[in-house]
Amino acid sequence: MAQTAANFAPLEHTDPIAAFHAERATDVAAQGRDDALKRLSYRWIAETAPYHYAYNFCWMGRPVIQFPQDMLAMQEIIWRVQPDLIVETGIAHGGSLVYYASMLQLLGNGGRVLGIDIDIRAHNREALDAHPMRPHIDMIEGSSIAEDVIAEVGRRASGCKTVLVALDSNHTHEHVRAELDAYAPLVTQGSYLVVFDTVIEDMPPDMYPDRPWDRGDNPRTAVDEFLHETEEFEVDQRIEDKLLITVSPGGYLRRVGGGR
Ligand SMILES: C[S@@+](CC[C@H](N)C(=O)[O-])C[C@H]1O[C@@H](n2cnc3c(N)ncnc32)[C@H](O)[C@@H]1O
């Protein structure tokens, strides 16, 4: 057989899908190492914050307080992990609950979303009750760190095969640390514990004057402390490297040990 360039092509280039993924992984890792690009992304986040950029979007008619980039990352995680339970602390208007519920309906695995909020406003509950995704959603009203709420969530998670947890309620260090202790044990092997708004640590100080969190007291400081004490979770760096614009740098945690 004549020796052509194709005979000597590296193995990965014979499979176009593998070649695509390999090239993308190389690009993602490279942009993740680009500190100037990261600084630009943080600056973009800081400069859009006064306009409440995260409030600009809806999913299936419900306001979702997230960056579209993080929503796409959650879709990728849900597809990969195929959870049959997603727990979210912090419901607000319920946009993310509806989003996760719609993803589970597409998966068709009978999965459910469990939202917890200290204050489910009447107008939000009414809109969620009337929503087509409602059959996939459960809600608990109460503090996510109250003992009875934690026990109830634990009961509901115990019969589930694959559990994913997203923390997006009160963003103080103390609260998120307590949530991490309460809900990390529910996350199943290979699944994710996503902690939103870790980016507060990368924002200028005093950016949230009407909130109890700030630089030095936020989800990122809680995650750092938590990871210092456990080897069961690690940051999935590939996610923030690909997003660049994310409210959760260092907040996409994957369970790599322990658990079920
Ligand atoms: C940032 S919003 C949640 C946004 C929502 N996850 C989304 O993606 O659209 C924060 C919510 O956390 C709730 N919250 C505050 N403190 C809480 C607590 N101790 N326990 C549970 N929820 C709490 C607030 O009532 C508010 O609705």
Side-chain angles (χ1 to χ4, degrees):
M1 186 173 78
Q3 295 294 331
T4 64
N7 297 134
F8 293 102
L11 192 57
E12 63 266 26
H13 291 297
T14 61
D15 175 351
I17 297 174
F20 172 81
H21 285 291
E23 192 178 329
R24 189 171 70 178
T26 305
D27 284 341
V28 163
Q31 71 177 25
R33 289 191 299 273
D34 186 335
D35 285 338
L37 193 51
K38 276 193 179 170
R39 280 196 301 277
L40 187 63
S41 303
Y42 287 148
R43 184 172 160 215
W44 187 91
I45 293 171
E47 296 208 5
T48 55
Y51 303 105
H52 307 117
Y53 175 84
Y55 289 70
N56 285 355
F57 308 97
C58 283
W59 187 262
M60 296 181 80
R62 294 307 299 151
V64 51
I65 309 173
Q66 295 294 349
F67 278 16
Q69 289 86 344
D70 289 304
M71 293 179 68
L72 205 58
M74 291 303 284
Q75 177 276 138
E76 290 192 356
I77 290 173
I78 291 168
W79 174 251
R80 200 145 34 91
V81 168
Q82 307 256 324
D84 56 346
L85 178 67
I86 299 176
V87 176
E88 184 191 40
T89 66
I91 296 175
H93 303 264
S96 287
L97 276 193
V98 166
Y99 176 58
Y100 301 147
S102 69
M103 290 299 132
L104 294 181
Q105 186 183 34
L106 287 171
L107 289 186
N109 66 353
R112 300 190 67 75
V113 181
L114 173 57
I116 303 143
D117 201 295
I118 198 165
D119 178 17
I120 305 176
R121 307 251 167 101
H123 57 276
N124 288 329
R125 186 183 282 278
E126 218 173 280
L128 288 170
D129 280 344
H131 200 279
M133 287 301 117
R134 183 66 174 95
H136 308 286
I137 295 173
D138 298 306
M139 289 180 275
I140 296 175
E141 187 165 54
S143 174
S144 55
I145 58 169
E147 265 176 42
D148 57 334
V149 171
I150 294 168
E152 180 57 26
V153 177
R155 259 192 299 281
R156 295 190 196 199
S158 63
C160 296
K161 205 167 132 259
T162 306
V163 181
L164 173 68
V165 171
L167 305 180
D168 192 22
S169 66
N170 176 331
H171 299 315
T172 62
H173 175 105
E174 191 184 3
H175 186 82
V176 177
R177 182 61 225 250
E179 284 189 328
L180 286 165
D181 290 340
Y183 298 109
L186 305 183
V187 177
T188 46
Q189 185 66 238
S191 186
Y192 281 76
L193 172 57
V194 179
V195 185
F196 286 109
D197 285 296
T198 47
V199 77
I200 295 166
E201 184 66 8
D202 303 292
M203 294 293 105
D206 302 322
M207 233 183 66
Y208 311 92
D210 54 341
R211 304 284 192 181
W213 45 84
D214 201 347
R215 229 188 217 190
D217 177 359
N218 58 63
R220 180 59 183 257
T221 58
V223 166
D224 287 349
E225 188 181 275
F226 172 72
L227 290 180
H228 205 69
E229 295 170 15
T230 181
E231 292 186 346
E232 295 184 349
F233 288 85
E234 66 180 24
V235 174
D236 189 338
Q237 189 64 35
R238 294 166 304 177
I239 297 179
E240 66 190 84
D241 285 352
K242 82 157 75 175
L243 295 178
L244 290 177
I245 291 177
T246 171
V247 299
S248 302
Y252 285 95
L253 309 181
R254 198 163 70 91
R255 177 152 220 153
V256 292
R260 358 183 226 121

